[in-house]
Amino acid sequence: VKTWLLVFRSFMIISEEDKGFGPIFEEQPINTIYPEESLEGKVSLNCRARASPFPVYKWRMNNGDVDLTSDRYSMVGGNLVINNPDKQKDAGIYYCLASNSYGMVRSTEATLSFGLYLGEFSKKKNQDRIERPEVRVKEGKGMVLLCDPPYHFPDDLSYRWLLNEFPVFITMDKRRFVSQTNGNLYIANVEASDKGNYSCFVSSPSITKSVFSKFIPLIPIPERTTKPYPADIVVQFKDIYALMGQNVTLECFALGNPVPDIRWRKVLEPMPSTAEISTSGAVLKIFNIQLEDEGIYECEAENIRGKDKHQARIYVQAFPEWVEHINDTEVDIGSDLYWPCVATGKPIPTIRWLKNGYAYHKGELRLYDVTFENAGMYQCIAENTHGAIYANAELKILALAPTFEMNPMKKKILAAKGGRVIIECKPKAAPKPKFSWSKGTEWLVNSSRILIWEDGSLEINNITRNDGGIYTCFAENNRGKANSTGTLVITDPTRIILAPINADITVGENATMQCAASFDPALDLTFVWSFNGYVIDFNKENIHYQRNFMLDSNGELLIRNAQLRHAGRYTCTAQTIVDNSSASADLVVRGPPGPPGGLRIEDIRATSVALTWSRGSDNHSPISKYTIQTKTILSDDWKDAKTDPPIIEGNMEAARAVDLIPWMEYEFRVVATNTLGRGEPSIPSNKIKTDGAAPNVAPSDVGGGGGRNRELTITWAPLSREYHYGNNFGYIVAFKPFDGEEWKKVTVTNPDTGRYVHKDETMSPSTAFQVKVKAFNNKGDGPYSLVAVINSAQDAPSEAPTEVGVKVLSSSEISVHWEHVLEKIVESYQIRYWAAHDREEAANRVQVTSQEYSARLENLLPDTQYFIEVGACNSAGCGPPSDMIEAFTKKAPPSQPPRIISSVRSGSRYIITWDHVVALSNESTVTGYKVLYRPDGQHDGKLYSTHKHSIEVPIPRDGEYVVEVRAHSDGGDGVVSQVKISGEPIIYATDRGIF
């Protein structure tokens, strides 16, 4: 201990040349996971500190020293490298110590763990994976497929499900959900389309590895009618503890038929502003959670058969955070030190102290009558159950005689007559010196005008001309004494001689504030204007504020185009470097009212709500009336609401908004008006939803008819959202034969549909029906629409087209023709065709109107046999097909382009010559050539046909032309060759010159 004290004393008696300092961490060890399958064979824990002299490092593990002489450890700077890490020997808690002659500091603690693995799904002998039994579920019922993930570390897996093969993943929607908590796949109600083989696909981002389970066959069992059943929440979130700033995810999913809707809320409180709900509604994410987000959260699942609810609490706690922490400090020897170190967190952190790396104190730290032994490196540690934070600082003890070398007294001090002056005396000294003052040869003592402060400053009040002169400050402690001298000069005082006066204006008008002052002519005078205590920046606010610089000793202020925000107190300050003087005046700006406050919504009904508010500022003009405005999801615009009373007088602070839409989400705001105009609106209210009511609007455009055989198709225009008026909205469709007595009624639960198809095998074709439609919701039924008369579907044609024939046009086209059937119910004809090597089920179809007698089949395969049949059709379907006929497309056209040999100009024409094209064995024989002569850049031109191997075309008059040549055959036209020609004159060169 004596040795340490001697070392510290040599540095703690501070001189001006002392530039050293204790260790300051720049990098500290962090929690590290070493992969058990790593091939690297070493792990590094980092530690780096800045210090002068350079620091020395050592490490401790589980509070025992790390033997750095062992071959298993090595040091790189301050970093500890562990060679061939062993879980049994090396797993534990580490920290680093950095020291020099000023002291020692300890790093934060870091844990070295061994892990990072993701196993395979469970296996049995001689099997890749355990076989998973098939799952059979009735259609309409809910089900869950278990993932049962393999052993893993850390617990950061993400889950998806494969369908039949990789990489086909199922898409999550309102009916299907994959929990990221356990990996299970949930299906609210099974459909026939869900049939397939499913595999749980698990990924670990920590080690970038993925594995998947054996496929599970899912077999939906068909049901004649799927029975609805109420919502049943099967994915439930639990009570959760979260750290402030983390992102929190809650999952909630329900089985049910129809698929339940999921809604979230925070019980008795608004949802956090950072909360987001997934498209399917099954996931609630709260980003950057805060302490005020703590509370009970509820998810509710509901369908037409019933609802289910689940609640759990989120507890939000916090990592320690500094409110006030220690910093490097110098104190005089023999003085007292209170070193505040305060932290916040949840739970509230405890405070403990280290000195030079070792335990020193707990709680508040106070040092009395400090000595050199108190010098060193201190660490304040705030910790709770979630972790610890460290604040490091160096304490130096000062001991030196007074000196003014670094901070001498000012040589010249100015003070205004009648004013007050403070002459500072701040030598550097430790311990604190005693002070005395003299003026010339006169020693000064405290009096009614003169006061020597405890810090050595001299204060003189009610200054007169006789106070001018030379002043000396004397400082003395047990290590020596010193003094410093300065001269006090007395100046004339600054006084406001023309003060601003109060003004009253209307918004948009100008105002002038006058200000003039007297001052000492030897000094410079400056005017400073402030508004409600804040200095006006004329560079930033030059639109409304201007200064008059034309008058000497005058600081007049011009306020242009005044607004409500410019009303308040204006202060003019005339100042020199010695003193100042101020005067103030008030500006009143009259204008439209300010926003009302305290808006509350009460007594919520289906078509009205009660509103109360508190009056805002009338801006010096009485409020004449209020207007209530509303906004809904139907529009982004605010609209004036109808109210009770119709006119809301300016002395009222309550009214009802009426004629609202039932079961609609609303926002409200209130606007005040006076004789100067309409003011700013209040802050919008929280969103509320009016109570539901039975629909009062009937669907329009009821009609229908047509469709397939034995069907009655009924259509209507769906009601928009604003007319739903309640939950579980749908339609009741009523219909009966035109002469019938009893109405048949069916329920359509989809609020967005406008179509219902009734099937009845006993229904006669083209039968007249009366139909009507009404809306319903959970509050009751609305009125029926007007009755419409429609016909059931007609029968499909019973005759087949006759005289069907074909004409093969080329290798890819066939023309088909037929004779019309005599039935009047025909609306179109359908041609079915397929290649002989294809199945009939894969036939292509071409549909033409009932007026057509022929159709062209295109994009056929060359040299291929096709089967063709024609049928007559209407909305009920197609009748019997004609007799099937067959046709063979021609061989493909030549695949080789003509090779252009030459393009020669002869007089007023070009002669283009090419090689003859020889067709291959599987190609049509060449019967001639087609030549297209067109301007370059255009598609149209003049087409020539020839059996020769050359052609003459005219010389172009303007620009370039393109000549395209292709072989022609029964199978069509072959590949094109082309050449460009131009009408530019030919230049001849001879021995007599150029012509």
Side-chain angles (χ1 to χ4, degrees), residues 125 206 209 239 290 315 341 348 355 367 390 503 583 644 719:
K125 189 175 182 181
S206 299
K209 179 181 178 182
D239 288 351
Q290 299 298 306
Y315 298 90
C341 187
I348 296 175
K355 180 184 176 186
L367 301 177
Y390 288 59
D644 181 18
L719 293 178

Side-chain angles (χ1 to χ4, degrees), residues 4 8 97 102-106 354-358 375-379:
W4 272 101
F8 281 128
L97 295 166
Y102 285 86
M104 180 164 62
V105 289
R106 191 167 93 176
L354 303 179
K355 180 184 176 186
N356 294 324
Y358 294 96
M377 300 300 299
Y378 287 78
Q379 293 176 277

Side-chain angles (χ1 to χ4, degrees), residues 472-488:
T472 302
C473 173
F474 298 88
E476 182 178 2
N477 67 8
N478 59 9
R479 293 182 174 271
K481 56 186 177 181
N483 63 75
S484 184
T485 300
T487 302
L488 177 64

Side-chain angles (χ1 to χ4, degrees), residues 586-601:
D586 292 323
L587 176 65
V588 173
V589 181
R590 301 179 186 274
L599 178 60
R600 295 179 60 189
I601 312 299

Side-chain angles (χ1 to χ4, degrees), residues 55 263 275 334 416 545 560 614 632 649 776 809 924 930 956:
R263 293 181 293 273
Y545 294 117
R560 302 173 60 88
S614 59
T632 69
E649 300 290 343
F776 74 91
L809 303 179
S924 298
K930 289 183 178 180

